Amino acid sequence: MELVLWHKIALTLGTAIGMEGVAWWAHKYVMHGWGWAWHKDHHEPHDNLFEKNDLYAVVFSILSMTLFLIGTFWVTPLFYVALGILIYGIVYTVFHDGLIHQRYPWKPVPKKGYFKRVVQAHKVHHAMINKDDCVSFGFVFALDPQKLHKKLMAMKAERQPSDAAPAE
Ligand SMILES: [Zn+2]
Ligand SMILES: [Zn+2]
């Protein structure tokens, strides 16, 4: 089948948007699950330039590069899937490493609107350093930080009822 322009755009954009779901899932079930050993240092304060957690970005880059290769030589649609992953990767790093964690020389602090909400929602994710106590696993799609905070407090109370209402 010949790929026309709108196929290419749909594949690229669909993948880029879908990657937020993949990233959410991977963050919640892999990074906060069996892959916690690589993600743990991202939840702990430190002065190191790199984190073990950066290996996840490397894994996604290798996936994207592999798909670019397969897409270029054998299965053309995969080229646009790879492009979608690359675009999501760039948006992810600008948001997560730039805007939220201020790891780049360029350090803008969003004062209002959507960008502020994205930053605050992820800050609520970082309120806990324990792998099972976190909320808010998305990176681009962010819920209301106040609601997230409420959810976090409710989870905390459920886990440790003694903290919320001291036993007599
Ligand atoms: Zn996390
Ligand atoms: Zn983070």
Side-chain angles (χ1 to χ4, degrees):
M1 188 181 86
E2 179 82 36
L3 283 180
V4 295
L5 183 64
W6 78 263
H7 290 146
K8 296 173 185 175
I9 294 173
L11 268 174
T12 305
L13 284 184
T15 304
I17 294 165
M19 276 304 289
E20 171 70 358
V22 172
W24 175 88
W25 182 87
H27 188 191
K28 189 174 165 92
Y29 296 105
V30 178
M31 295 155 90
H32 281 254
W34 53 266
W36 177 245
W38 278 10
H39 188 56
K40 188 171 181 271
D41 67 348
H42 183 59
H43 279 267
E44 293 168 342
H46 64 77
D47 297 320
N48 307 332
L49 189 58
F50 290 107
E51 299 172 347
K52 251 193 204 153
N53 183 55
D54 295 325
L55 290 170
Y56 281 110
V58 174
V59 169
F60 278 106
S61 317
I62 293 172
L63 175 71
S64 170
M65 286 188 283
T66 307
L67 291 174
F68 267 123
L69 199 74
I70 299 172
T72 303
F73 294 106
W74 300 286
V75 191
T76 312
L78 290 183
F79 177 90
Y80 299 96
V81 171
L83 189 61
I85 299 175
L86 174 67
I87 291 171
Y88 181 79
I90 294 168
V91 172
Y92 163 83
T93 191
V94 168
F95 277 39
H96 181 255
D97 299 304
L99 232 47
I100 297 167
H101 292 297
Q102 309 265 309
R103 292 175 82 187
Y104 295 130
W106 159 83
K107 298 182 196 302
V109 179
K111 297 268 187 308
K112 58 179 171 40
Y114 164 73
F115 292 101
K116 187 181 174 193
R117 194 173 74 192
V118 163
V119 171
Q120 287 190 329
H122 193 72
K123 292 262 162 80
V124 180
H125 175 72
H126 277 281
M128 290 294 166
I129 48 173
N130 193 326
K131 93 186 211 303
D132 297 318
D133 293 339
C134 296
V135 293
S136 183
F137 293 90
F139 296 103
V140 175
F141 177 75
L143 294 171
D144 178 359
Q146 273 181 337
K147 280 191 190 140
L148 288 168
H149 191 75
K150 265 191 199 148
K151 191 177 162 195
L152 183 72
M153 290 301 126
M155 267 171 60
K156 224 176 152 182
E158 204 173 290
R159 241 176 257 275
Q160 302 150 321
S162 54
D163 282 7
E168 281 162 45

